[in-house]
Amino acid sequence: MREYNVAILGATGAVGMRMVRQLENSTVPVKNLKLLASSRSAGTKIEFKGEEIEVEETTPDSFEGVDIVLASAGGSTSKKFLPEAVKRGAVCIDNTSAYRMDPDVPLVVPEVNVDQLANHRGIIANPNCSTIQMVVALQPVFEKFGLSQIVVSTYQAASGAGQSALNEFYGQAQDYLDGKEMSADILPTKGDKKHYPLAFNLLPQIDVFEEDGSTHEEWKMVHETKKIMLNDMNATGIKVNATCVRVPVAISHGESVYFEVEDKSATKEDIQRVIDQFDGAVLQDDPDHQVYPQPITAEGKRSTFVGRIRADQENPGCFNMWVVADNLLKGAAWNTVQNAEELVKRDLVRVPEDYYRG
Amino acid sequence: MREYNVAILGATGAVGMRMVRQLENSTVPVKNLKLLASSRSAGTKIEFKGEEIEVEETTPDSFEGVDIVLASAGGSTSKKFLPEAVKRGAVCIDNTSAYRMDPDVPLVVPEVNVDQLANHRGIIANPNCSTIQMVVALQPVFEKFGLSQIVVSTYQAASGAGQSALNEFYGQAQDYLDGKEMSADILPTKGDKKHYPLAFNLLPQIDVFEEDGSTHEEWKMVHETKKIMLNDMNATGIKVNATCVRVPVAISHGESVYFEVEDKSATKEDIQRVIDQFDGAVLQDDPDHQVYPQPITAEGKRSTFVGRIRADQENPGCFNMWVVADNLLKGAAWNTVQNAEELVKRDLVRVPEDYYRG
């Protein structure tokens, strides 16, 4: 059996640490694991399969001899290093938004469009966390009944903005409970001018604003969903409308999804059944026993949890559902490692001659 | 000028306390204020206009000589005492759900349907908190452009479940930060079997479940909206679909509202303008300067704040908006006192001969 040299870029971040853990519990045969980060984090030691591995500072040459790169160190770091890695023969799975909309880069959620992996030219992109869990819940519905429209409102956890945002949020929560004033330097988004507390609050801004008044996160949900489900970021076959809100939760995003199917004969029970039978989705939908997805029960799990499925009484063919998944696992680290597993399974861990040159 | 004897039923609760404060700062000429509660709270002293008033235990005779009752002591208490109050000549504004769907009881949000006050037969109902803020934001749009559909996802604060739920939530938050296990005895809803922590979590259940899988809170948003905006709880003129989620916020509800207008020529700027010009609504919609409604800035205010207004690029005539209001003020205490102000202004503080007999 072929074994692979794997590198994790951004190994000390909230997602990077989880990539190490997910890789440890994956089917990827790892010959050697290299942990890469910025000079600031170099020297840190992280355990992998009982062995301590020292984090190294990333340089282009770090990727010599590497077969698979799992990247989660920010968009600019990916832009800088992934073409270098591909040039040296490594297949990269990138968890940042750097390459998601590139037509030469497959955007893959294995449950939905694993076949796209075969088209890679050295880089595969991992979608945005809020997109991933929604498409896992909707794909079985789409396959069986068709899908014409999606209206989603998200309830996104602080950890989606990174470990420093999560730490800031915890500090705010303690200050609030102590009756002190809350301060904010990171949320809603590091790159913007104003900052607001998230603790005991709601921030209807994730990422920066686009010209049309939507946020970039909302834009991502629209176009990534189309690219994953219809293989075209501007496809019109499924209309997508998104509102993204940061909520005072640490880990796991919630989503209130309203959708319309093409086959108007579909019933609530039909929707429940196809989701229940779909790999990667777990149906938690028993109102009589107050069973429904919750962030604190989804945390640490790889699955996407779906419940509160209802037929809209006034609009035939329209349904509601409530979707929760661990944004750091299925929304990031696990989906990345899962893509690596699928590459290995399909013997696709090789960079083609017409490789991605950036 | 006529002065009125006012009684507040449930004066020691989270809403009742705020009713005292809102009444103090209202145009209602108060001759005498009576504070009523259960025997457990009798004897408590609450200040009103510089005077200490002792809370009395409620009996049917408590309402002798009372002109206006503001009630917020739970549905069963309203059912028990309001007919007694009406019999004794008091006009009651009830903040519980006890009478909201009664065709003989006007359900009034003054900005929207103040004319309905004239039809009262002794009892006026205050709508559910989540309904109130949504109809204030939508009414100017409805008046100017027509409205055919509403899809709303709520982000509701813990205080909507009462002071004890709020206290439980604060305790959970501290336990979580201290690394202790969280316990739950009240939320998601006192009357149901299972209880889950709200702190750092999301609970997609508010109130008990109906047979169709929706919660009673969701049912309320559908039927109250129709009754307020169309004067018929089962009207089909506006389709309403609601998903209600409790979020780890103390005070002020958020709502992600997707809606379709009849006049397809309406632009985002038109929607912003009519909301901006509407009494009771405050437009906070400036993405360039990161201005949008937030719970912590809405807390303590009487207005309904509206922002994040966007035109759906794929569905002409469809829009998004984000609505926030203090659920204990506009969603409860202030809307009740505001109804009392309007009754006074219209000289409607009298019980008609065909008064409500329960």
PDB file of all heavy atoms in Angstrom, chain A residues 153-155 194 196 205 226 241 243 256 289-290 292 314 320, chain B residues 153-155 194 196 205 226 241 256 289-290 292 308 310 314 320:
ATOM      1  N   SER A 153     -31.029  31.330   6.784  1.00  0.00           N
ATOM      2  CA  SER A 153     -30.538  32.254   7.812  1.00  0.00           C
ATOM      3  C   SER A 153     -29.609  31.461   8.714  1.00  0.00           C
ATOM      4  O   SER A 153     -29.995  30.413   9.231  1.00  0.00           O
ATOM      5  CB  SER A 153     -31.701  32.822   8.638  1.00  0.00           C
ATOM      6  OG  SER A 153     -32.533  33.612   7.831  1.00  0.00           O
ATOM      7  N   THR A 154     -28.382  31.958   8.886  1.00  0.00           N
ATOM      8  CA  THR A 154     -27.426  31.197   9.685  1.00  0.00           C
ATOM      9  C   THR A 154     -27.311  31.738  11.105  1.00  0.00           C
ATOM     10  O   THR A 154     -27.623  32.895  11.388  1.00  0.00           O
ATOM     11  CB  THR A 154     -26.011  31.211   9.062  1.00  0.00           C
ATOM     12  OG1 THR A 154     -25.451  32.520   9.190  1.00  0.00           O
ATOM     13  CG2 THR A 154     -26.058  30.795   7.599  1.00  0.00           C
ATOM     14  N   TYR A 155     -26.869  30.852  11.987  1.00  0.00           N
ATOM     15  CA  TYR A 155     -26.598  31.154  13.385  1.00  0.00           C
ATOM     16  C   TYR A 155     -25.180  30.631  13.610  1.00  0.00           C
ATOM     17  O   TYR A 155     -24.987  29.482  13.985  1.00  0.00           O
ATOM     18  CB  TYR A 155     -27.589  30.406  14.280  1.00  0.00           C
ATOM     19  CG  TYR A 155     -29.056  30.726  14.063  1.00  0.00           C
ATOM     20  CD1 TYR A 155     -29.706  30.419  12.870  1.00  0.00           C
ATOM     21  CD2 TYR A 155     -29.819  31.319  15.080  1.00  0.00           C
ATOM     22  CE1 TYR A 155     -31.056  30.698  12.674  1.00  0.00           C
ATOM     23  CE2 TYR A 155     -31.168  31.604  14.896  1.00  0.00           C
ATOM     24  CZ  TYR A 155     -31.782  31.292  13.698  1.00  0.00           C
ATOM     25  OH  TYR A 155     -33.116  31.560  13.514  1.00  0.00           O
ATOM     26  N   LYS A 194     -14.847  48.774  12.378  1.00  0.00           N
ATOM     27  CA  LYS A 194     -15.470  48.782  13.704  1.00  0.00           C
ATOM     28  C   LYS A 194     -15.578  47.375  14.279  1.00  0.00           C
ATOM     29  O   LYS A 194     -15.711  46.397  13.538  1.00  0.00           O
ATOM     30  CB  LYS A 194     -16.875  49.387  13.600  1.00  0.00           C
ATOM     31  CG  LYS A 194     -16.864  50.877  13.284  1.00  0.00           C
ATOM     32  CD  LYS A 194     -18.275  51.429  13.419  1.00  0.00           C
ATOM     33  CE  LYS A 194     -18.433  52.743  12.702  1.00  0.00           C
ATOM     34  NZ  LYS A 194     -19.841  53.115  12.564  1.00  0.00           N
ATOM     35  N   TYR A 196     -17.487  45.066  17.489  1.00  0.00           N
ATOM     36  CA  TYR A 196     -18.589  45.033  18.449  1.00  0.00           C
ATOM     37  C   TYR A 196     -18.504  43.750  19.278  1.00  0.00           C
ATOM     38  O   TYR A 196     -18.061  42.719  18.775  1.00  0.00           O
ATOM     39  CB  TYR A 196     -19.929  45.040  17.717  1.00  0.00           C
ATOM     40  CG  TYR A 196     -20.125  46.178  16.730  1.00  0.00           C
ATOM     41  CD1 TYR A 196     -20.254  45.929  15.374  1.00  0.00           C
ATOM     42  CD2 TYR A 196     -20.188  47.499  17.165  1.00  0.00           C
ATOM     43  CE1 TYR A 196     -20.453  46.962  14.460  1.00  0.00           C
ATOM     44  CE2 TYR A 196     -20.380  48.536  16.267  1.00  0.00           C
ATOM     45  CZ  TYR A 196     -20.511  48.269  14.914  1.00  0.00           C
ATOM     46  OH  TYR A 196     -20.699  49.292  14.020  1.00  0.00           O
ATOM     47  N   GLN A 205     -23.240  40.575  10.706  1.00  0.00           N
ATOM     48  CA  GLN A 205     -22.146  40.806   9.757  1.00  0.00           C
ATOM     49  C   GLN A 205     -21.091  39.730   9.938  1.00  0.00           C
ATOM     50  O   GLN A 205     -20.473  39.616  10.998  1.00  0.00           O
ATOM     51  CB  GLN A 205     -21.489  42.185   9.968  1.00  0.00           C
ATOM     52  CG  GLN A 205     -20.344  42.415   8.965  1.00  0.00           C
ATOM     53  CD  GLN A 205     -19.435  43.589   9.277  1.00  0.00           C
ATOM     54  OE1 GLN A 205     -19.658  44.335  10.226  1.00  0.00           O
ATOM     55  NE2 GLN A 205     -18.403  43.749   8.481  1.00  0.00           N
ATOM     56  N   LYS A 226     -23.957  26.967  -5.449  1.00  0.00           N
ATOM     57  CA  LYS A 226     -24.179  26.733  -6.875  1.00  0.00           C
ATOM     58  C   LYS A 226     -23.016  25.941  -7.491  1.00  0.00           C
ATOM     59  O   LYS A 226     -23.224  25.019  -8.281  1.00  0.00           O
ATOM     60  CB  LYS A 226     -24.369  28.069  -7.608  1.00  0.00           C
ATOM     61  CG  LYS A 226     -25.724  28.736  -7.288  1.00  0.00           C
ATOM     62  CD  LYS A 226     -25.747  30.190  -7.733  1.00  0.00           C
ATOM     63  CE  LYS A 226     -27.005  30.907  -7.273  1.00  0.00           C
ATOM     64  NZ  LYS A 226     -28.055  30.928  -8.278  1.00  0.00           N
ATOM     65  N   ASN A 241     -30.605  32.433  -1.445  1.00  0.00           N
ATOM     66  CA  ASN A 241     -30.630  33.695  -0.700  1.00  0.00           C
ATOM     67  C   ASN A 241     -30.139  33.415   0.713  1.00  0.00           C
ATOM     68  O   ASN A 241     -30.674  32.528   1.387  1.00  0.00           O
ATOM     69  CB  ASN A 241     -32.066  34.236  -0.673  1.00  0.00           C
ATOM     70  CG  ASN A 241     -32.197  35.495   0.163  1.00  0.00           C
ATOM     71  OD1 ASN A 241     -32.169  35.441   1.390  1.00  0.00           O
ATOM     72  ND2 ASN A 241     -32.333  36.640  -0.491  1.00  0.00           N
ATOM     73  N   THR A 243     -28.687  34.915   4.639  1.00  0.00           N
ATOM     74  CA  THR A 243     -28.448  35.933   5.666  1.00  0.00           C
ATOM     75  C   THR A 243     -27.571  35.278   6.726  1.00  0.00           C
ATOM     76  O   THR A 243     -27.947  34.246   7.285  1.00  0.00           O
ATOM     77  CB  THR A 243     -29.767  36.396   6.310  1.00  0.00           C
ATOM     78  OG1 THR A 243     -30.596  36.973   5.293  1.00  0.00           O
ATOM     79  CG2 THR A 243     -29.517  37.426   7.412  1.00  0.00           C
ATOM     80  N   SER A 256     -31.275  27.873   9.698  1.00  0.00           N
ATOM     81  CA  SER A 256     -32.705  27.738   9.423  1.00  0.00           C
ATOM     82  C   SER A 256     -32.847  27.802   7.905  1.00  0.00           C
ATOM     83  O   SER A 256     -32.611  28.844   7.295  1.00  0.00           O
ATOM     84  CB  SER A 256     -33.461  28.893  10.098  1.00  0.00           C
ATOM     85  OG  SER A 256     -34.783  28.967   9.625  1.00  0.00           O
ATOM     86  N   HIS A 289     -40.580  14.020  21.346  1.00  0.00           N
ATOM     87  CA  HIS A 289     -39.618  13.777  22.414  1.00  0.00           C
ATOM     88  C   HIS A 289     -38.560  14.881  22.488  1.00  0.00           C
ATOM     89  O   HIS A 289     -37.469  14.671  23.030  1.00  0.00           O
ATOM     90  CB  HIS A 289     -38.965  12.397  22.232  1.00  0.00           C
ATOM     91  CG  HIS A 289     -39.957  11.278  22.318  1.00  0.00           C
ATOM     92  ND1 HIS A 289     -40.577  10.744  21.203  1.00  0.00           N
ATOM     93  CD2 HIS A 289     -40.492  10.629  23.389  1.00  0.00           C
ATOM     94  CE1 HIS A 289     -41.423   9.797  21.587  1.00  0.00           C
ATOM     95  NE2 HIS A 289     -41.392   9.716  22.908  1.00  0.00           N
ATOM     96  N   GLN A 290     -38.914  16.052  21.913  1.00  0.00           N
ATOM     97  CA  GLN A 290     -38.014  17.219  21.933  1.00  0.00           C
ATOM     98  C   GLN A 290     -36.615  16.892  21.410  1.00  0.00           C
ATOM     99  O   GLN A 290     -35.612  17.293  21.997  1.00  0.00           O
ATOM    100  CB  GLN A 290     -37.932  17.791  23.346  1.00  0.00           C
ATOM    101  CG  GLN A 290     -39.226  18.422  23.833  1.00  0.00           C
ATOM    102  CD  GLN A 290     -39.104  18.825  25.288  1.00  0.00           C
ATOM    103  OE1 GLN A 290     -39.464  18.071  26.186  1.00  0.00           O
ATOM    104  NE2 GLN A 290     -38.566  20.007  25.525  1.00  0.00           N
ATOM    105  N   TYR A 292     -34.021  17.432  18.498  1.00  0.00           N
ATOM    106  CA  TYR A 292     -33.655  18.309  17.385  1.00  0.00           C
ATOM    107  C   TYR A 292     -32.168  18.657  17.533  1.00  0.00           C
ATOM    108  O   TYR A 292     -31.604  18.528  18.617  1.00  0.00           O
ATOM    109  CB  TYR A 292     -34.518  19.581  17.375  1.00  0.00           C
ATOM    110  CG  TYR A 292     -34.878  20.119  18.749  1.00  0.00           C
ATOM    111  CD1 TYR A 292     -33.904  20.672  19.586  1.00  0.00           C
ATOM    112  CD2 TYR A 292     -36.186  20.062  19.232  1.00  0.00           C
ATOM    113  CE1 TYR A 292     -34.229  21.151  20.841  1.00  0.00           C
ATOM    114  CE2 TYR A 292     -36.515  20.543  20.502  1.00  0.00           C
ATOM    115  CZ  TYR A 292     -35.537  21.088  21.295  1.00  0.00           C
ATOM    116  OH  TYR A 292     -35.863  21.561  22.555  1.00  0.00           O
ATOM    117  N   GLU A 314     -48.765  26.722   3.598  1.00  0.00           N
ATOM    118  CA  GLU A 314     -49.350  27.633   2.608  1.00  0.00           C
ATOM    119  C   GLU A 314     -48.660  27.569   1.250  1.00  0.00           C
ATOM    120  O   GLU A 314     -49.158  28.159   0.297  1.00  0.00           O
ATOM    121  CB  GLU A 314     -49.293  29.071   3.149  1.00  0.00           C
ATOM    122  CG  GLU A 314     -50.092  29.235   4.431  1.00  0.00           C
ATOM    123  CD  GLU A 314     -50.259  30.698   4.797  1.00  0.00           C
ATOM    124  OE1 GLU A 314     -51.230  31.319   4.354  1.00  0.00           O
ATOM    125  OE2 GLU A 314     -49.380  31.217   5.526  1.00  0.00           O
ATOM    126  N   ASN A 320     -39.287  23.618   5.677  1.00  0.00           N
ATOM    127  CA  ASN A 320     -38.289  24.177   6.594  1.00  0.00           C
ATOM    128  C   ASN A 320     -37.439  23.038   7.146  1.00  0.00           C
ATOM    129  O   ASN A 320     -37.941  21.924   7.320  1.00  0.00           O
ATOM    130  CB  ASN A 320     -38.969  24.847   7.810  1.00  0.00           C
ATOM    131  CG  ASN A 320     -39.780  26.059   7.458  1.00  0.00           C
ATOM    132  OD1 ASN A 320     -41.000  25.974   7.280  1.00  0.00           O
ATOM    133  ND2 ASN A 320     -39.118  27.196   7.351  1.00  0.00           N
TER     134      ASN A 320
ATOM    135  N   SER B 153     -36.992  33.883  10.313  1.00  0.00           N
ATOM    136  CA  SER B 153     -36.260  33.065  11.282  1.00  0.00           C
ATOM    137  C   SER B 153     -35.914  33.973  12.449  1.00  0.00           C
ATOM    138  O   SER B 153     -35.321  35.032  12.250  1.00  0.00           O
ATOM    139  CB  SER B 153     -34.973  32.506  10.663  1.00  0.00           C
ATOM    140  OG  SER B 153     -35.288  31.614   9.623  1.00  0.00           O
ATOM    141  N   THR B 154     -36.296  33.552  13.657  1.00  0.00           N
ATOM    142  CA  THR B 154     -36.058  34.423  14.807  1.00  0.00           C
ATOM    143  C   THR B 154     -34.821  34.011  15.593  1.00  0.00           C
ATOM    144  O   THR B 154     -34.382  32.859  15.548  1.00  0.00           O
ATOM    145  CB  THR B 154     -37.252  34.437  15.784  1.00  0.00           C
ATOM    146  OG1 THR B 154     -37.325  33.168  16.451  1.00  0.00           O
ATOM    147  CG2 THR B 154     -38.552  34.728  15.060  1.00  0.00           C
ATOM    148  N   TYR B 155     -34.277  34.985  16.298  1.00  0.00           N
ATOM    149  CA  TYR B 155     -33.139  34.822  17.197  1.00  0.00           C
ATOM    150  C   TYR B 155     -33.623  35.435  18.517  1.00  0.00           C
ATOM    151  O   TYR B 155     -33.452  36.622  18.751  1.00  0.00           O
ATOM    152  CB  TYR B 155     -31.922  35.584  16.667  1.00  0.00           C
ATOM    153  CG  TYR B 155     -31.438  35.175  15.271  1.00  0.00           C
ATOM    154  CD1 TYR B 155     -32.232  35.327  14.146  1.00  0.00           C
ATOM    155  CD2 TYR B 155     -30.169  34.637  15.096  1.00  0.00           C
ATOM    156  CE1 TYR B 155     -31.780  34.959  12.879  1.00  0.00           C
ATOM    157  CE2 TYR B 155     -29.700  34.272  13.834  1.00  0.00           C
ATOM    158  CZ  TYR B 155     -30.513  34.434  12.733  1.00  0.00           C
ATOM    159  OH  TYR B 155     -30.057  34.067  11.484  1.00  0.00           O
ATOM    160  N   LYS B 194     -38.482  17.817  28.681  1.00  0.00           N
ATOM    161  CA  LYS B 194     -37.024  17.879  28.717  1.00  0.00           C
ATOM    162  C   LYS B 194     -36.516  19.316  28.764  1.00  0.00           C
ATOM    163  O   LYS B 194     -37.161  20.225  28.239  1.00  0.00           O
ATOM    164  CB  LYS B 194     -36.439  17.200  27.475  1.00  0.00           C
ATOM    165  CG  LYS B 194     -36.663  15.702  27.454  1.00  0.00           C
ATOM    166  CD  LYS B 194     -35.861  15.085  26.326  1.00  0.00           C
ATOM    167  CE  LYS B 194     -36.383  13.712  25.959  1.00  0.00           C
ATOM    168  NZ  LYS B 194     -35.836  13.251  24.672  1.00  0.00           N
ATOM    169  N   TYR B 196     -32.913  21.781  28.315  1.00  0.00           N
ATOM    170  CA  TYR B 196     -31.557  21.831  27.755  1.00  0.00           C
ATOM    171  C   TYR B 196     -30.926  23.173  28.092  1.00  0.00           C
ATOM    172  O   TYR B 196     -31.628  24.194  28.179  1.00  0.00           O
ATOM    173  CB  TYR B 196     -31.609  21.692  26.236  1.00  0.00           C
ATOM    174  CG  TYR B 196     -32.338  20.471  25.723  1.00  0.00           C
ATOM    175  CD1 TYR B 196     -33.507  20.611  24.977  1.00  0.00           C
ATOM    176  CD2 TYR B 196     -31.863  19.183  25.966  1.00  0.00           C
ATOM    177  CE1 TYR B 196     -34.186  19.497  24.484  1.00  0.00           C
ATOM    178  CE2 TYR B 196     -32.538  18.068  25.475  1.00  0.00           C
ATOM    179  CZ  TYR B 196     -33.696  18.230  24.736  1.00  0.00           C
ATOM    180  OH  TYR B 196     -34.351  17.140  24.257  1.00  0.00           O
ATOM    181  N   GLN B 205     -36.566  25.387  19.770  1.00  0.00           N
ATOM    182  CA  GLN B 205     -37.893  25.136  20.329  1.00  0.00           C
ATOM    183  C   GLN B 205     -38.261  26.280  21.259  1.00  0.00           C
ATOM    184  O   GLN B 205     -37.604  26.511  22.267  1.00  0.00           O
ATOM    185  CB  GLN B 205     -37.936  23.822  21.130  1.00  0.00           C
ATOM    186  CG  GLN B 205     -39.329  23.567  21.711  1.00  0.00           C
ATOM    187  CD  GLN B 205     -39.408  22.454  22.762  1.00  0.00           C
ATOM    188  OE1 GLN B 205     -38.424  21.790  23.071  1.00  0.00           O
ATOM    189  NE2 GLN B 205     -40.592  22.271  23.325  1.00  0.00           N
ATOM    190  N   LYS B 226     -51.325  37.564  10.755  1.00  0.00           N
ATOM    191  CA  LYS B 226     -52.504  37.665   9.880  1.00  0.00           C
ATOM    192  C   LYS B 226     -53.618  38.458  10.567  1.00  0.00           C
ATOM    193  O   LYS B 226     -54.275  39.292   9.948  1.00  0.00           O
ATOM    194  CB  LYS B 226     -52.992  36.272   9.493  1.00  0.00           C
ATOM    195  CG  LYS B 226     -52.059  35.561   8.499  1.00  0.00           C
ATOM    196  CD  LYS B 226     -52.365  34.064   8.400  1.00  0.00           C
ATOM    197  CE  LYS B 226     -51.355  33.354   7.518  1.00  0.00           C
ATOM    198  NZ  LYS B 226     -51.816  33.192   6.133  1.00  0.00           N
ATOM    199  N   ASN B 241     -44.442  32.129   7.080  1.00  0.00           N
ATOM    200  CA  ASN B 241     -43.717  30.931   7.504  1.00  0.00           C
ATOM    201  C   ASN B 241     -42.681  31.345   8.543  1.00  0.00           C
ATOM    202  O   ASN B 241     -41.897  32.264   8.308  1.00  0.00           O
ATOM    203  CB  ASN B 241     -43.017  30.310   6.269  1.00  0.00           C
ATOM    204  CG  ASN B 241     -42.148  29.124   6.645  1.00  0.00           C
ATOM    205  OD1 ASN B 241     -41.067  29.277   7.211  1.00  0.00           O
ATOM    206  ND2 ASN B 241     -42.612  27.931   6.325  1.00  0.00           N
ATOM    207  N   SER B 256     -34.471  37.548  11.110  1.00  0.00           N
ATOM    208  CA  SER B 256     -34.080  37.580   9.704  1.00  0.00           C
ATOM    209  C   SER B 256     -35.360  37.391   8.898  1.00  0.00           C
ATOM    210  O   SER B 256     -35.971  36.321   8.932  1.00  0.00           O
ATOM    211  CB  SER B 256     -33.084  36.445   9.431  1.00  0.00           C
ATOM    212  OG  SER B 256     -32.893  36.284   8.047  1.00  0.00           O
ATOM    213  N   HIS B 289     -20.609  51.845   6.904  1.00  0.00           N
ATOM    214  CA  HIS B 289     -20.104  52.215   8.227  1.00  0.00           C
ATOM    215  C   HIS B 289     -20.457  51.172   9.290  1.00  0.00           C
ATOM    216  O   HIS B 289     -20.485  51.463  10.477  1.00  0.00           O
ATOM    217  CB  HIS B 289     -20.627  53.604   8.622  1.00  0.00           C
ATOM    218  CG  HIS B 289     -20.160  54.685   7.693  1.00  0.00           C
ATOM    219  ND1 HIS B 289     -20.901  55.082   6.603  1.00  0.00           N
ATOM    220  CD2 HIS B 289     -19.005  55.413   7.666  1.00  0.00           C
ATOM    221  CE1 HIS B 289     -20.230  56.024   5.952  1.00  0.00           C
ATOM    222  NE2 HIS B 289     -19.080  56.239   6.571  1.00  0.00           N
ATOM    223  N   GLN B 290     -20.748  49.953   8.818  1.00  0.00           N
ATOM    224  CA  GLN B 290     -21.081  48.839   9.713  1.00  0.00           C
ATOM    225  C   GLN B 290     -22.197  49.192  10.694  1.00  0.00           C
ATOM    226  O   GLN B 290     -22.115  48.884  11.882  1.00  0.00           O
ATOM    227  CB  GLN B 290     -19.835  48.376  10.478  1.00  0.00           C
ATOM    228  CG  GLN B 290     -18.793  47.717   9.591  1.00  0.00           C
ATOM    229  CD  GLN B 290     -17.523  47.441  10.376  1.00  0.00           C
ATOM    230  OE1 GLN B 290     -16.615  48.275  10.407  1.00  0.00           O
ATOM    231  NE2 GLN B 290     -17.464  46.300  11.011  1.00  0.00           N
ATOM    232  N   TYR B 292     -25.923  48.516  11.730  1.00  0.00           N
ATOM    233  CA  TYR B 292     -27.044  47.571  11.629  1.00  0.00           C
ATOM    234  C   TYR B 292     -27.567  47.320  13.045  1.00  0.00           C
ATOM    235  O   TYR B 292     -26.868  47.562  14.033  1.00  0.00           O
ATOM    236  CB  TYR B 292     -26.592  46.261  10.968  1.00  0.00           C
ATOM    237  CG  TYR B 292     -25.176  45.826  11.321  1.00  0.00           C
ATOM    238  CD1 TYR B 292     -24.853  45.403  12.617  1.00  0.00           C
ATOM    239  CD2 TYR B 292     -24.160  45.853  10.371  1.00  0.00           C
ATOM    240  CE1 TYR B 292     -23.563  45.016  12.936  1.00  0.00           C
ATOM    241  CE2 TYR B 292     -22.856  45.467  10.692  1.00  0.00           C
ATOM    242  CZ  TYR B 292     -22.574  45.040  11.972  1.00  0.00           C
ATOM    243  OH  TYR B 292     -21.293  44.662  12.300  1.00  0.00           O
ATOM    244  N   ARG B 308     -29.905  45.976   7.307  1.00  0.00           N
ATOM    245  CA  ARG B 308     -29.529  44.904   6.383  1.00  0.00           C
ATOM    246  C   ARG B 308     -30.594  44.679   5.303  1.00  0.00           C
ATOM    247  O   ARG B 308     -30.851  43.535   4.893  1.00  0.00           O
ATOM    248  CB  ARG B 308     -29.289  43.571   7.123  1.00  0.00           C
ATOM    249  CG  ARG B 308     -28.208  43.513   8.201  1.00  0.00           C
ATOM    250  CD  ARG B 308     -26.763  43.573   7.709  1.00  0.00           C
ATOM    251  NE  ARG B 308     -26.542  43.156   6.360  1.00  0.00           N
ATOM    252  CZ  ARG B 308     -26.240  41.920   5.953  1.00  0.00           C
ATOM    253  NH1 ARG B 308     -26.078  40.968   6.830  1.00  0.00           N
ATOM    254  NH2 ARG B 308     -26.040  41.653   4.685  1.00  0.00           N
ATOM    255  N   ARG B 310     -31.936  44.305   1.787  1.00  0.00           N
ATOM    256  CA  ARG B 310     -31.311  43.895   0.519  1.00  0.00           C
ATOM    257  C   ARG B 310     -32.368  43.392  -0.449  1.00  0.00           C
ATOM    258  O   ARG B 310     -33.344  42.764  -0.034  1.00  0.00           O
ATOM    259  CB  ARG B 310     -30.336  42.738   0.758  1.00  0.00           C
ATOM    260  CG  ARG B 310     -29.079  43.097   1.490  1.00  0.00           C
ATOM    261  CD  ARG B 310     -28.310  41.833   1.852  1.00  0.00           C
ATOM    262  NE  ARG B 310     -28.982  41.099   2.915  1.00  0.00           N
ATOM    263  CZ  ARG B 310     -28.931  39.780   3.073  1.00  0.00           C
ATOM    264  NH1 ARG B 310     -28.267  39.050   2.204  1.00  0.00           N
ATOM    265  NH2 ARG B 310     -29.557  39.197   4.079  1.00  0.00           N
ATOM    266  N   GLU B 314     -32.032  37.303  -7.292  1.00  0.00           N
ATOM    267  CA  GLU B 314     -32.601  36.278  -8.182  1.00  0.00           C
ATOM    268  C   GLU B 314     -34.123  36.263  -8.188  1.00  0.00           C
ATOM    269  O   GLU B 314     -34.726  35.581  -9.015  1.00  0.00           O
ATOM    270  CB  GLU B 314     -32.085  34.903  -7.775  1.00  0.00           C
ATOM    271  CG  GLU B 314     -30.571  34.795  -7.881  1.00  0.00           C
ATOM    272  CD  GLU B 314     -30.088  33.363  -7.740  1.00  0.00           C
ATOM    273  OE1 GLU B 314     -30.016  32.675  -8.751  1.00  0.00           O
ATOM    274  OE2 GLU B 314     -29.802  32.951  -6.597  1.00  0.00           O
ATOM    275  N   ASN B 320     -34.630  41.051   1.820  1.00  0.00           N
ATOM    276  CA  ASN B 320     -34.239  40.627   3.163  1.00  0.00           C
ATOM    277  C   ASN B 320     -34.197  41.842   4.074  1.00  0.00           C
ATOM    278  O   ASN B 320     -33.866  42.943   3.621  1.00  0.00           O
ATOM    279  CB  ASN B 320     -32.823  40.042   3.160  1.00  0.00           C
ATOM    280  CG  ASN B 320     -32.713  38.751   2.385  1.00  0.00           C
ATOM    281  OD1 ASN B 320     -32.312  38.741   1.235  1.00  0.00           O
ATOM    282  ND2 ASN B 320     -33.081  37.653   3.008  1.00  0.00           N
TER     283      ASN B 320
END
